[in-house]
Amino acid sequence: MKEIVFAGFGGQGVLTSGLIVSEIAVSNGMNATWIPSYGSAMRGGTANCTVKFGNGRIFNPAQEKPDVLLAMNTPSFNKFIDTVAPNGTVIVNSDMVEYDPKVREDVKYVDVPCQTLAKEINHSKGANIIMTGVILKSIGEFTDQQAIDGMNAMFDKKGKGKFKEMNTKALKIGLTQI
Amino acid sequence: MKEIVFAGFGGQGVLTSGLIVSEIAVSNGMNATWIPSYGSAMRGGTANCTVKFGNGRIFNPAQEKPDVLLAMNTPSFNKFIDTVAPNGTVIVNSDMVEYDPKVREDVKYVDVPCQTLAKEINHSKGANIIMTGVILKSIGEFTDQQAIDGMNAMFDKKGKGKFKEMNTKALKIGLTQI
Amino acid sequence: MKVKVESLRCKQCELCVVNCPKDAITFTEEFNEFGYRTTVIDDDKCIGCGICYTMCPDGVYEIIGE
Amino acid sequence: MKVKVESLRCKQCELCVVNCPKDAITFTEEFNEFGYRTTVIDDDKCIGCGICYTMCPDGVYEIIGE
Amino acid sequence: MAKARKIPEIAKKPSSFCPGCGHGIAIRLITECLEEMGQDTNVMFGIGVGCSSLLGGVLETDRLHCLHGRAGAVCTGMKRVSPNQMVVSYQGDGDAYSIGIGETTSAAYRNENISVFVVNNTNYGMTGGQMSNTTLPGQKTTTSVLGRDCAITGSPIKFPELVSDQFNVAYAARGAVTTPAEINKTKKYIKEALTAQLNGEGYSVVEILSACPTNWGMTPLQSVEHIHTKVVEHFPLGEYKTREAK
Amino acid sequence: MAKARKIPEIAKKPSSFCPGCGHGIAIRLITECLEEMGQDTNVMFGIGVGCSSLLGGVLETDRLHCLHGRAGAVCTGMKRVSPNQMVVSYQGDGDAYSIGIGETTSAAYRNENISVFVVNNTNYGMTGGQMSNTTLPGQKTTTSVLGRDCAITGSPIKFPELVSDQFNVAYAARGAVTTPAEINKTKKYIKEALTAQLNGEGYSVVEILSACPTNWGMTPLQSVEHIHTKVVEHFPLGEYKTREAK
Amino acid sequence: MGEMIKGNHAIAEAAVRFGARLYAGYPITPSTEIMEYISWRMPEVGGAFVQAESEIAGINMVIGGAACGVRSFTASSGPGISLKQEGITQLYDEELAAVIINVVRYGNGIGTLYSAQCDYLRETRGGGNGDYRPIVLCPSSIQEAVDLLGVAFDLSEKYRTVAVLMTEGALGQMMEPCDLPEFIEPKRYPWGFDGKYSYKKVGIFERDSMKEAVAMNEKNAVIKENEQRWADVDVEDADYVFVSFGLPGRSTEGAVEELRKAGHKVGIIRPITAWPFPEKAFEKVNPNVKGFISVEANATGQMVEDVALTVKKKFSDNKPVYSLAYVYGIPEMEKIQKDYEKIAAGEIKEVF
Amino acid sequence: MGEMIKGNHAIAEAAVRFGARLYAGYPITPSTEIMEYISWRMPEVGGAFVQAESEIAGINMVIGGAACGVRSFTASSGPGISLKQEGITQLYDEELAAVIINVVRYGNGIGTLYSAQCDYLRETRGGGNGDYRPIVLCPSSIQEAVDLLGVAFDLSEKYRTVAVLMTEGALGQMMEPCDLPEFIEPKRYPWGFDGKYSYKKVGIFERDSMKEAVAMNEKNAVIKENEQRWADVDVEDADYVFVSFGLPGRSTEGAVEELRKAGHKVGIIRPITAWPFPEKAFEKVNPNVKGFISVEANATGQMVEDVALTVKKKFSDNKPVYSLAYVYGIPEMEKIQKDYEKIAAGEIKEVF
Ligand SMILES: Cc1ncc(C[n+]2csc(CCOP(=O)(O)OP(=O)(O)O)c2C)c(N)n1
Ligand SMILES: Cc1ncc(C[n+]2csc(CCOP(=O)(O)OP(=O)(O)O)c2C)c(N)n1
Ligand code: SF4
Ligand code: SF4
Ligand code: SF4
Ligand code: SF4
Ligand code: SF4
Ligand code: SF4
Ligand SMILES: [Mg+2]
Ligand SMILES: [Mg+2]
């Protein structure tokens, strides 16, 4: 079973990113859970969700020890870095996050300038999709095609199929970052 | 400890009658409880209360086995006759109640035409006071003077002292009925 | 008879008595089971106008009609 | 300086910018800690009228007065 | 020419209201109208808590004893799932205008297609005569023993006026069950209210000024007199919102 | 001639309202008035549940987060035992006019000597933009996804109008926090309301039309425009009941 | 010995004398006389009386009064108390002191006017959302009602919590002699609002729930340790111990006296605090006791759960616990005695 | 395996498919999505959706729908459910079938938005006046929530009672794959109003409370006998048995699996009905079990009372009962394992 935490500002698309991963897992016959954090402070602040997936039963859907952390901004990095499983992966939005890798020396860091990359392909809202690709690659559980199909199926269901091409492009960029 | 049930139509003054007896007991240093019956049927129907008094502690204030039953109307007689303690006394408003003494042969019946008697002294609302006198006499716990003083003290407290003379007269009539 | 009277229901409120346009209703000396005086209609005076029916809160009257 | 600006509080709503009668307010290229662009006042244009204070929902401005 | 008149079948059981209580006349008028409209076997009542609860022993129709004040909501629920049945709420002034003011006004606000009858006897009858939102200025009740002081407690609420002025309702009126003439007028209002519902026009309300001899400490005749001399002064009779279809 | 202006001491902490939210202006106006009247350290707030709850992190005054809708009752309790302090309720439209309609109208009905400020943003902001009793006809919300259908849900409630017409209140008005001119007018209304209370004249209410860019899906500037073109059509600005003392 | 007085009137007068200065409520039988009495009495002493538009408004006005540090209370029954649950959990949550009087009447839903004890589980576990536990006091006589009302005010302020005086319809309606308390000077507590923000508070979104949970458990532990109240008779050598509160408890005390006279080794614990439940009372009980018998006026047996939990906690072996639930009213002493005999004879089985 | 769906949406869609045709409610986080979904979905199938002016109006509209024999339901959280207590006790009292969904959020008073299980005692004992007991169903996954919603409607109608789906904030907000039920034809029950007075009723003042109390106890006994539901794992040879429901129960199931792997003889009972509490589940447990451990997401430990009562009833000796109350959220599997070790080591003491 894999556990991934997606964290960032509200608006950075981390909840959607989590949803894409969970959908890919389910469309490939696995179990998955997606759970957002929500608390008393609603306005402003950070958003995050935890996705777990795998072939067995998923007991606790809540965040425990993520194998992968996506940190889209500095507060998120700081909030979750201690929870990452030993030998886990931390995927960092290097356009925004400054960090000291010494805080955890037992994890692998992957720096991705996802906002810059997104701008480059003229898909300003695609940074989260790029990062989804990075995550999927880093997990290595799904083929690129499975990833692309799963993502597009999800957006289709949400009635957001029209961005298919751009999203596919963004995901592919992510898939090639590691 | 003595237990008395006062029962009749609403408006026949049975609650007041019970109050008088309890007040006399308390003003003579005894314990007393007065408890009305009240239930879901509020409009119309019967009213009744239970008074207990004596020198010891009164445990259950509610009606159990009355030593004395005052029955001001037929429904009340029928409702309570079975509960009267063996060798108890049943004081009956013979102006209104028709009954078969065979329903209970182990109790003593005292018939008092209290409404007629009240009319005779021009105190149309005094029937309950007359019956209070009868009850007090039948219990035999208090002197006539204790009874009269206790009753008047109660009415004084209620701001109804002005009927003192008529009430005294009515009580005295009751006290001489047995 | 123009009006049927179900005296058992009467609560002696007097509303019929004072409103009858023909003063046809009076109280009897009888008490019903609940201790209320009951009414009686003077059929000669009564015109079957139905006002007693209208006024009575307790359904004592039924106007027979023609 | 006629107006003190506490940029940390700005949420980039633009209400001050459009209401300033002297067009004295513009957005800078800076982001504050919460990710919002902040405003700057052109002191030469500013007449200290206080409208920016009136419009700002977030207490960014203080009018110094005389 | 005598016309046959008889208590409607669905309300023919004897009631336990006090002598001279206006509730008895009010419910008869409502059931008469339903009968005349052929709706007496196509009706469900939401009954408030108060002396109206005594209708439980009278009415032989579908009826729910609603929680105190909530008939406006209960009747909304009933009507939304039973658009083809008549839904009638029958409440007291305390029930409808105090504890239930939220539900009562909200049903009016939504213009819910129900008919609401409020028996206004200017006090909480069932619980022994406390002040209500319709108690008259200076009226003595068990919670205003020196007479109601409107400077502290507010002045009598005028619900038919309020809904007519503020909400988009189908019909609103105030009648009294005091004299043959007023009773007949009140019956017309009730018929209008029920007709509005039958035609799907929306919310209708009739407030019915009604005697409470027991808690007013008056005879039934004095009570009627009191309504005509004092109560109507604060609660003018008549229609406040007439049906547009008319 | 520049006049010094500064956020009142009691409201100087930064808020967490969304960008362009009208709440921030509304609370500043109220606290400014209190300060100008010398009452800023003689005041207690009853705060409703809604985005107004975010004031918990802002206001440095006595304040109780009232249960949703109940500020009218809580403030009544506070004022009755604290006649010499200013008691202010600060609520949203959902809080005051839906769940709290009973408490809100009843406080007005009693002419309770309190000042009530209702921030009307035509939806339930805090919970993510559901329809409220002030939602405009046709307005899309998360519980009226096709646009509000007033035939089923009722039409926008007009509270200042309602209390002015139906109850004996001291002061009622509606303002907006959209432009310098409207904000200044609204501040005058607020001052009038607070003065009424200070003088013991009774109930005062000011409804404040306010932007909710987040749930309206608009920018702050579009929101202001929306208020002027659409919202005021249903909620006319102005005074509905002026103070008699004036 | 005082004068004959009605339970509800005694409670109302006592509240005034204890310095309560705000009452807000809505009429409901059998509690209404409290409000009726207060309606004229409170103005006499310069206090505030508000006839609220509903029970919800009533409890929220009490919240307003309590927020100002003024002794504030309300009374109701049956469905009226149900409507106050949200307010009660808030009083607890805001650490406001207030007293709620529940003159318990029988029944689910709209209910009846019978006297009963059917709200035990709700009052002791809290019918509102969350984990709060109000202090619950249960009088068995008018004198005790008056005395416990004073305790209720004191404890609610000492611990900054809600206290419920859980009395019964019959106790509200009956009369017996009662000494009323002396007048005490009304106070305004420093944690109450004064308009000056003397007492600081964090906003709802700034609170730390985890820390508060710890603090709440600590506070509850202190109350449990210090505030258990009960009366007991003859428990040290008892074969069977009755547990019963309020008027049924009083009747059971009589039954115990009778049973003892007849040679039965029985005793009684009469809880005076229902929460905290008087667990300590069980420490005195004969370790070889054969069983405990809960006597209550409700339909399902409610307090019996606390009896069983306490017995489990306090005895190393598993003692049987019996339930006599008499639905409503006050059980007759004779009835209790007869049912006791059935229990002793094995005809009535234990429920726990 | 179904598609990913949010818990609240799955519940809303399932209700429509199960034939519910009236929803009335008021928004409150974290239950609001149920209402938002229903607001457009119910009209699609010709059902009634009313956005009520309050939770009280909502539950009373449900009473109206239920009185007509139409499947009716509402959902809320925290204080919103507190406000419905009077309505819930009336539903029970009038023997109307309806379903209440409590998406539990943490906290007393206004409360928080955290997911929790702090309403256990209130839901199982009834927060309204009287002796009523609703059926309470507790899902631990979205699929189970959907399935139990069907059970809730069925049981409420079979027994003419209220059923509560007691779910948690986190379950409402999370997503996982779920198979939605088939559509069933909506019914109108014959005991519902049809305008013709087909189903006779006595007035409130004509009812016989004593008889009804007997009938209520009989009905409750039948429900207790027939409707206990639970899941269990490895209880037959366990030294320690966990008891935990909902999402914490699911996490505890995981902890049990881990502990077993590590050689600890532990098992779990996961109650699916909180009322009736699954007492029968305890009959299978190893008679030499050393103790029971209640795992809950609330501040004080609530279900632990039912665990202790059941243990007292089902075992002749006095087995210790431990309480792990994690306040809010879903306890981590590792945390549960660690606390288990403390219990086994005697570092955490039993509470009953
Ligand atoms: C929630 C609740 N609160 C209070 C009561 C007590 N109660 C019953 S009837 C009533 C007043 C009824 O007054 P009104 O509605 O005017 O009817 P009336 O008896 O005057 O016809 C009250 C307060 C109750 N049953 N339920
Ligand atoms: C009893 C209760 N019901 C529901 C809620 C959930 N709730 C919190 S805020 C809110 C709506 C607030 O809307 P409004 O009053 O208009 O304030 P706004 O956020 O728009 O300023 C609701 C429904 C609650 N906290 N308590
Ligand atoms: S029908 Fe008319 S005339 Fe005849 S008794 Fe009745 S009221 Fe009088
Ligand atoms: S109106 Fe009816 S109840 Fe009243 S006196 Fe006449 S017959 Fe009797
Ligand atoms: S004070 Fe007036 S002129 Fe100066 S920046 Fe502000 S709005 Fe513009
Ligand atoms: S009004 Fe205030 S918050 Fe908005 S842009 Fe100007 S300074 Fe920033
Ligand atoms: S108390 Fe008043 S309203 Fe109730 S039945 Fe008697 S007279 Fe009618
Ligand atoms: S949601 Fe709306 S009302 Fe709430 S803070 Fe944001 S903009 Fe303001
Ligand atoms: Mg009334
Ligand atoms: Mg709003």
Side-chain angles (χ1 to χ4, degrees), chain D residues 10-20 25-27 37 39 55-58 61, chain F residues 19-20 219-222 224:
Chain D
C10 179
K11 291 177 184 157
Q12 200 184 337
C13 70
E14 261 185 281
L15 289 173
C16 57
V17 176
V18 302
N19 280 289
C20 172
I25 314 177
T26 47
F27 281 113
R37 281 253 174 85
T39 56
M55 287 310 302
C56 179
D58 284 285
Y61 301 116
Chain F
T219 67
L221 296 180
Q222 288 169 333
V224 165

Side-chain angles (χ1 to χ4, degrees), chain F residues 23 92-95 119-126 132 134:
Chain F
H23 274 290
D93 50 311
D95 191 88
V119 173
N120 176 359
N121 56 15
T122 76
N123 81 101
Y124 293 160
M126 171 59 82
S132 83
T134 56

